[in-house]
Amino acid sequence: SKPRMATVIAPTATSAEALTKPLLLRGKTALAIVARFPQIESVVMPEYGPLFFSNGFKVTTRWQEIPHS
């Protein structure tokens, strides 16, 4: 498997921890699994390349891109 990181925002730490595992193992393909759960948002961060967000992650977190200088 390719190195990656993932973050899950969930109502409980237990839910966040449980849903982080599939994202770490399967990457962006696991976003469809996580999307089935209400009040859950997530992002997958591969070692290289673009980030992959759940549908509401950017709004929920007020995500802002930092401009490159």
Side-chain angles (χ1 to χ4, degrees):
S1 71
K2 298 178 182 177
R4 61 179 71 93
M5 295 184 294
T7 296
V8 175
I9 299 171
T12 68
T14 303
S15 297
E17 179 68 20
L19 292 170
T20 299
K21 300 297 183 201
L23 292 169
L24 291 173
L25 295 173
R26 298 191 55 174
K28 70 177 182 176
T29 58
L31 286 172
I33 296 167
V34 176
R36 293 187 227 159
F37 297 89
Q39 298 180 311
I40 305 289
E41 298 301 339
S42 58
V43 58
V44 177
M45 298 161 273
E47 184 175 15
Y48 301 103
L51 305 179
F52 301 99
F53 298 93
S54 62
N55 290 334
F57 186 90
K58 290 182 178 182
V59 172
T60 300
T61 62
R62 298 183 184 143
W63 183 270
Q64 294 182 356
E65 297 288 331
I66 298 172
H68 296 277
S69 33

